[in-house]
Amino acid sequence: MSQKTRMAPKPDPQSLSATAADSSAQVSIDPFFHILKFVPYSFLRPPRLRLKLPSFSLPSAMTVFSLILLTYFMVVSGFIYDVIVEPPGIGSTQDPATGAVRPVVFLSGRVNGQYIIEGLSSGFMFVLGGIGIVLLDLALDKNRARSIKVSYSIAGISSIVIAYVMTTLFIRIKIPGYLR
Amino acid sequence: MAAVANMPVSDLLKSFKLKTKQQELLIRVSILCLVYILAFITRLFSVLRYESMIHEFDPYFNYRTTLYLTQNGFYDFWNWFDYESWYPLGRIVGGTLYPGLMVTAALIYRILHFLRFAVHIREVCVLTAPFFASNTTLVAYFFGKEIWDTGAGLVAAILIAVCPGYISRSVAGSYDNEGVAIFALLFTFYLFVKAVNTGSLAWSLASAFGYFYMVSAWGGYVFIINLIPLYVLVLLITGRYSMRLYVAYNCMYVLGMLLAMQIRFVGFQHVQSGEHMAAMGVFFLMQVFYFLDWVKHMLSDTKLFQAFLRITVTCAVAVGTIALGLGMLSGYISPWTGRFYSLLDPTYAKDHIPIIASVSEHQPTAWSSFMFDFHILLFLFPAGLYFCFKRLSDATIFIVMYGLTSMYFAGVMVRLILVATPAVCLISAIAVSATVKNLTVLLRSKNKGVQTGSTKGSSSSKASSKALLDQSQPFQKNGAIALLFGAFYLLSKYATHCTWVTSEAYSSPSIVLAARGAHGSRVIFDDYREAYFWLRQNTPPDAKVMSWWDYGYQITAMGNRTVIVDNNTWNNTHIATVGRAMSSYEDEAIEIMRSLDVDYVLVVFGGVTGYSSDDINKFLWMVRIGGGVFPVIKEPDYLVNGEYRVDKGAAPKMLNCLMYKLCYYRFGEMLTEYGKPPGYDRARGVEIGNKDIKLEHLEEAFTTSNWIVRIYKVKPPNNRW
């Protein structure tokens, strides 16, 4: 029998084999099937193909979580700000004495402004802190070898500490009057 | 009696000793009470520093309408036509505002008066937002309890009480829709999640009424009516369809939609506007799901059911698409409006709608704004997402979706960080609660390990592993204590940061400016209110004032005079006319002003004080908006080599336009800074180009003490002889 290559909107992995068996076992009630049986396929002979409808299963929770982490990194590093306002990658200032051009990493003067590089590095620090807490939770899982638990906990604690210290440092550089 | 008195003190105390459950309840209730009080008092900085007054621009309109409501009653308020703004067009106030905030404040005012507390309506308006912020912490507690457990609920309440992202729009004096709307948003979401979890009709109806309150409070209700259908769709895709979901969504959608149509400003948008079509589509999809479930229940043959399933779903999707297409083509279903479309396509506003692009709150968000408003929560958010994904349920799926969508929108527009704040606080609370729970379990596991070791203790491997465990126990315990101290340190840093940000950045009333004087003393500039009071006292009652739209609400509320354009910005052409008048030469501008019956012109100038949000800095937006409607105004005429200047090298059109003349009239003789020539503009940092300004059709009426607000009177036309 001719194979249906029309995709059903609802994912139904068993449907293909079911319809093949269905149409051979009893008369199909599908109107499209009857129309197609009559109009092109009464005189056209379809070739024998080994096609399979791609079976589509939902990804696992942790796959989705890693994709979400990537999106979070982009949002929090000000990606949309970069696309719309188009700031330079890194700022520059001219040294008044020597006339040489020095790079400036942090856009100073306002809270809602950034250069691209400073946004990306801050976003990375935030994600690092988040991953540190996740590693700490993994370290407390009972079903692992002790050495892995210890290394996870050390990695987790150092990630959190580094991320927090760097982020505080960044915000102190950016906003000169911070916490004063 | 004597026997009781003779009991020793320790016995007396023992009789008062509570059981553990009662102790836990006492701790929880006292924490919630403290958090309630904290949320209120942390928002009172500006009331303590200045006085109890309304801040910013939009709250003045809300205050004026609330005053009208309390004086004239609800019927007159609902049918009010305001002829004092947008002269000569007027504004139908009843049909173009969201009444939730005003009705709430008027209700609180009436209750207080009923209890014989004779407070002024202004005090009620100023303190409405902190009161609702405290209520939001309670809702956050219950929501956290629903999603995770009571520990997470308590942490969520604490985090949201001080989070700067929420404080920025709910400070005492910020009498704006968002103060009430965030409470309504979180409340509606809590009721809906409770309805989905329990499947009860009562909770679903309550969520419909919560949605009605949200629709009456803020235009951001569109977020709810799109997030909830998206959530239902995700549940359907992940195979979590259930009768509870069916009951909850159907009740909420139908009743919520009917209630929302009671607000005149919303009208029939729920069936006509493209932004609300997702909810309708999901509603019909739910009916299809229910039908298929019923058919599956009736049919015993699975193969027949599979075929039937494919036909039905294809037909349903086809019919839906055709209906949507017909609706959009015939124009019955309107497309997404500019404001919400620019959230999906952020580059749209920059190219097409300059008014939306000019508001500073609508700019996209940089990393420092996120850090400023969230601090530690930015680390806890991804960790909280991880915990949610570990323990997926209907409720955690909801909070994850709310968090992700609101964070994306917060990235597009700075103002929407406010909508993301409750989600971020809740998810971070889950992370904190789960981590602290893990650590305390580690702390408490010491005794159990020793006991099981002693009772079992059979094979050698077991004994050795137990010995190893005993060896590492004190190390683990110390490590857990150290980590708990670390967590406590981070959270205290969060509290310090939040209080500092509230005090320094978010407690300024904007209508009163403050600066540090030469020796660190605080100097207050109260020029705005000085100018509005002068207008109120020294101009005829039917005088019309032309100014840029930013100041319209304040002039009507405090100056009590008719304005040409105000912050509602509903008529772009009218604003463009004012923009054209400000950017033309004086002779052309006087024609426009005479056609609009203008008596006074008000400009804001920051050259003497260094105030940078004045009209000269906003001038290019006036040119762009005016040029968008009247092509005779061209932006390059005012720039020199693409640069905007006001000194000698500025464009001649810039040096002679009305705005320049009105701002810098008589400024050329003014000495502003020691060591600089007269006419030095402190806000731009240059000496102005055109110092000798003569005005032909206007005369100076009033300039405030620091030259911030300047008012000019339009001279009547000359007599012919």
Side-chain angles (χ1 to χ4, degrees):
Chain A
M1 280 297 175
S2 56
Q3 300 264 354
K4 287 292 166 44
T5 49
R6 207 184 83 249
M7 282 277 276
K10 192 145 189 324
D12 233 353
Q14 280 85 28
S15 64
L16 204 60
S17 43
T19 37
D22 176 35
S23 37
S24 59
Q26 63 201 58
V27 180
S28 171
I29 62 174
D30 191 346
F32 284 105
F33 172 59
H34 288 287
I35 293 174
L36 283 173
K37 196 169 77 163
F38 184 61
V39 166
Y41 293 115
S42 55
F43 45 90
L44 286 180
R45 207 169 37 125
R48 296 217 168 271
L49 298 168
R50 287 204 192 98
L51 283 178
K52 232 176 18 159
L53 270 183
S55 70
F56 152 97
S57 60
L58 294 172
S60 80
M62 285 308 148
T63 321
V64 177
F65 174 64
S66 40
L67 281 173
I68 284 177
L69 211 57
L70 199 67
T71 330
Y72 176 72
F73 167 68
M74 284 176 44
V75 167
V76 126
S77 45
F79 182 71
I80 302 171
Y81 179 91
D82 295 338
V83 166
I84 301 209
V85 176
E86 290 170 18
I90 197 164
S92 59
T93 169
Q94 214 175 18
D95 193 60
T98 62
V101 175
R102 276 187 298 135
V104 167
V105 183
F106 290 96
L107 177 71
S108 49
R110 26 190 243 273
V111 176
N112 195 36
Q114 64 174 42
Y115 295 126
I116 301 184
I117 301 262
E118 69 170 287
L120 289 174
S121 40
S122 318
F124 172 70
M125 286 303 154
F126 296 141
V127 172
L128 189 68
I131 290 181
I133 303 182
V134 171
L135 283 174
L136 264 188
D137 176 71
L138 285 175
L140 294 168
D141 184 7
K142 294 199 187 353
N143 305 326
R144 286 179 218 271
R146 194 167 164 268
S147 58
I148 295 185
K149 279 168 65 168
V150 168
S151 52
Y152 271 179
S153 55
I154 292 180
I157 297 174
S158 51
S159 298
I160 299 177
V161 168
I162 291 177
Y164 177 70
V165 167
M166 293 303 283
T167 320
T168 321
L169 184 68
F170 285 170
I171 197 88
R172 251 187 244 276
I173 298 177
K174 180 143 179 129
I175 303 176
Y178 184 63
L179 278 185
R180 213 147 293 144
Chain B
M1 284 305 275
V4 171
N6 286 339
M7 264 166 65
V9 181
S10 56
D11 280 350
L12 206 65
L13 282 178
K14 277 208 189 104
S15 68
F16 279 125
K17 188 171 165 63
L18 303 165
K19 298 194 282 275
T20 314
K21 247 200 158 134
Q22 288 173 325
Q23 279 179 346
E24 197 231 347
L25 185 66
L26 179 66
I27 292 177
R28 263 195 290 142
V29 168
S30 51
I31 288 180
L32 280 176
C33 285
L34 286 175
V35 167
Y36 194 91
I37 297 174
L38 173 70
F40 192 84
I41 59 180
T42 190
R43 287 163 166 84
L44 293 181
F45 274 102
S46 74
V47 173
L48 296 172
R49 279 181 190 157
Y50 305 101
E51 55 171 324
S52 157
M53 68 177 139
I54 312 260
H55 299 185
E56 302 262 329
F57 300 114
D58 281 357
Y60 274 99
F61 172 71
N62 297 332
Y63 173 60
R64 186 167 156 250
T65 48
T66 316
L67 204 57
Y68 190 90
L69 173 60
T70 51
Q71 284 166 353
N72 302 59
F74 186 72
Y75 190 73
D76 282 337
F77 165 76
W78 203 228
N79 293 302
W80 184 21
F81 178 78
D82 183 18
Y83 51 83
E84 283 195 343
S85 57
W86 293 91
Y87 185 85
L89 305 167
R91 177 184 173 177
I92 307 173
V93 176
T96 56
L97 59 55
Y98 288 104
L101 175 70
M102 297 88 186
V103 169
T104 312
L107 204 64
I108 297 177
Y109 172 78
R110 291 234 184 279
I111 293 176
L112 287 174
H113 269 254
F114 178 72
L115 296 173
R116 304 294 180 259
F117 289 113
V119 292
H120 192 274
I121 182 70
R122 192 189 63 238
E123 319 298 342
V124 174
C125 290
V126 164
L127 294 176
T128 298
F131 173 60
F132 273 89
S134 302
N135 295 343
T136 309
T137 61
L138 287 183
V139 177
Y141 164 69
F142 286 111
F143 204 173
K145 204 163 83 138
E146 190 66 31
I147 298 176
W148 201 256
D149 62 13
T150 54
L154 287 173
V155 179
I158 299 171
L159 290 179
I160 207 170
V162 282
C163 190
Y166 185 24
I167 289 187
S168 63
R169 304 294 294 210
S170 66
V171 137
S174 173
Y175 181 56
D176 210 352
N177 298 65
E178 288 97 346
V180 175
I182 296 297
F183 167 74
L185 181 90
L186 204 58
F187 196 47
T188 310
F189 282 150
Y190 164 63
L191 291 172
F192 184 69
V193 170
K194 189 93 184 172
V196 171
N197 271 346
T198 57
S200 112
L201 194 62
W203 286 107
S204 319
L205 295 179
S207 73
F209 278 98
Y211 177 62
F212 170 56
Y213 186 44
M214 177 71 191
V215 170
S216 72
W218 194 32
Y221 74 90
V222 176
F223 180 64
I224 297 190
I225 202 65
N226 281 308
L227 179 65
I228 289 191
L230 196 64
Y231 166 63
V232 170
L233 202 61
V234 166
L235 282 186
L236 292 178
I237 291 179
T238 54
R240 286 171 184 268
Y241 169 77
S242 61
M243 198 58 189
R244 301 173 279 122
L245 181 66
Y246 182 75
V247 167
Y249 183 65
N250 276 350
C251 295
M252 195 242 178
Y253 178 63
V254 172
L255 195 62
M257 182 170 73
L258 288 173
L259 286 172
M261 293 191 199
Q262 308 308 310
I263 310 288
R264 280 164 63 195
F265 197 22
V266 174
F268 288 113
Q269 275 183 15
H270 276 71
V271 290
Q272 278 181 345
S273 157
E275 297 146 6
H276 302 76
M277 286 299 115
M280 191 180 283
V282 171
F283 176 67
F284 286 120
L285 191 66
M286 284 283 272
Q287 312 311 316
V288 170
F289 258 80
Y290 185 76
F291 177 61
L292 288 172
D293 216 27
W294 180 68
V295 167
K296 188 172 184 176
H297 179 68
M298 304 290 270
L299 278 184
S300 44
D301 191 350
T302 48
K303 291 196 186 107
L304 202 61
F305 176 67
Q306 300 280 12
F308 177 69
L309 175 77
R310 287 173 61 204
I311 302 172
T312 315
V313 175
T314 322
C315 285
V317 171
V319 165
T321 328
I322 291 174
L324 188 69
L326 272 178
M328 299 210 69
L329 283 173
S330 68
Y332 185 73
I333 297 181
S334 57
W336 282 57
T337 57
R339 276 178 66 187
F340 296 114
Y341 186 68
S342 64
L343 288 178
L344 294 181
D345 176 12
T347 56
Y348 179 75
K350 194 165 73 152
D351 300 330
H352 298 272
I353 319 177
I355 279 196
I356 296 181
S358 71
V359 183
S360 68
E361 295 177 314
H362 292 179
Q363 305 308 314
T365 324
W367 76 271
S368 40
S369 292
F370 277 122
M371 178 72 183
F372 217 56
D373 281 342
F374 288 137
H375 201 243
I376 291 285
L377 305 186
L378 286 173
F379 299 144
L380 296 171
F381 183 72
L385 285 179
Y386 164 76
F387 284 111
C388 284
F389 272 99
K390 246 175 76 164
R391 195 166 101 180
L392 275 180
S393 70
D394 289 350
T396 49
I397 291 183
F398 178 79
I399 197 67
V400 165
M401 291 200 58
Y402 176 26
L404 292 174
T405 47
S406 57
M407 275 302 267
Y408 167 69
F409 290 129
V412 174
M413 211 187 257
V414 184
R415 181 182 180 184
L416 295 180
I417 285 187
L418 171 75
V419 176
T421 303
V424 170
C425 286
L426 279 164
I427 296 182
S428 313
I430 292 179
V432 170
S433 177
T435 309
V436 168
K437 206 164 220 171
N438 281 343
L439 291 172
T440 46
V441 157
L442 210 59
L443 265 183
R444 289 176 172 213
S445 67
K446 163 183 78 146
N447 295 326
K448 288 191 219 145
V450 170
Q451 276 164 9
T452 48
S454 59
T455 46
K456 286 190 183 168
S458 46
S459 61
S460 59
S461 59
K462 252 195 187 161
S464 60
S465 68
K466 282 292 183 282
L468 210 66
L469 215 59
D470 284 341
Q471 243 178 19
S472 61
Q473 285 296 359
F475 178 71
Q476 276 186 339
K477 207 172 86 108
N478 289 339
I481 293 181
L483 284 177
L484 278 175
F485 267 112
F488 177 68
Y489 172 77
L490 281 181
L491 288 172
S492 61
K493 278 304 199 188
Y494 169 71
T496 318
H497 167 91
C498 293
T499 319
W500 181 83
V501 166
T502 312
S503 161
E504 292 300 312
Y506 290 142
S507 296
S508 106
S510 297
I511 192 166
V512 172
L513 311 165
R516 295 234 173 265
H519 302 285
S521 60
R522 189 163 254 186
V523 179
I524 305 266
F525 300 124
D526 206 1
D527 287 42
Y528 280 102
R529 294 197 292 173
E530 189 186 338
Y532 300 139
F533 200 58
W534 183 91
L535 263 185
R536 198 188 184 106
Q537 302 247 305
N538 296 297
T539 56
D542 61 348
K544 290 139 197 87
V545 181
M546 181 173 95
S547 72
W548 193 233
W549 59 262
D550 284 347
Y551 317 107
Y553 280 156
Q554 285 180 342
I555 296 176
T556 351
M558 278 193 275
N560 204 23
R561 294 289 174 266
T562 312
V563 289
I564 307 289
V565 287
D566 69 16
N567 307 57
N568 192 28
T569 65
W570 65 271
N571 192 331
N572 193 37
T573 313
H574 216 51
I575 297 181
T577 314
V578 171
R580 179 182 174 189
M582 296 293 197
S583 7
S584 316
Y585 293 124
E586 201 183 342
D587 301 327
E588 299 155 12
I590 193 68
E591 298 298 317
I592 300 175
M593 288 196 280
R594 293 235 170 88
S595 77
L596 287 173
D597 277 351
V598 174
D599 298 310
Y600 289 89
V601 181
L602 185 147
V603 293
V604 168
F605 171 59
V608 174
T609 48
Y611 177 52
S612 56
S613 307
D614 64 349
D615 280 356
I616 295 282
N617 277 346
K618 290 180 195 165
F619 182 62
L620 274 184
W621 285 109
M622 300 187 200
V623 170
R624 281 177 199 139
I625 294 175
V629 178
F630 302 104
V632 67
I633 308 278
K634 295 187 259 298
E635 192 183 339
D637 289 345
Y638 300 86
L639 305 171
V640 172
N641 291 335
E643 217 185 300
Y644 179 58
R645 297 167 66 167
V646 295
D647 54 2
K648 274 203 195 21
K653 183 114 199 224
M654 180 71 205
L655 289 176
N656 289 304
C657 69
L658 184 70
M659 177 56 74
Y660 189 94
K661 282 182 158 183
L662 293 182
C663 283
Y664 291 121
Y665 183 66
R666 286 194 309 119
F667 184 63
E669 313 136 12
M670 183 90 174
L671 272 172
T672 51
E673 210 171 300
Y674 181 70
K676 293 280 196 300
Y680 180 76
D681 182 347
R682 287 180 72 188
R684 259 65 54 184
V686 294
E687 186 187 347
I688 61 170
N690 187 359
K691 290 191 193 179
D692 187 25
I693 296 177
K694 299 236 181 317
L695 287 173
E696 198 185 325
H697 301 285
L698 296 134
E699 61 182 3
E700 186 180 0
F702 182 66
T703 299
T704 55
S705 46
N706 295 300
W707 286 54
I708 291 187
V709 182
R710 310 193 68 182
I711 304 180
Y712 292 84
K713 185 170 157 55
V714 175
K715 291 202 279 210
N718 289 330
N719 287 331
R720 238 178 274 239
W721 307 108

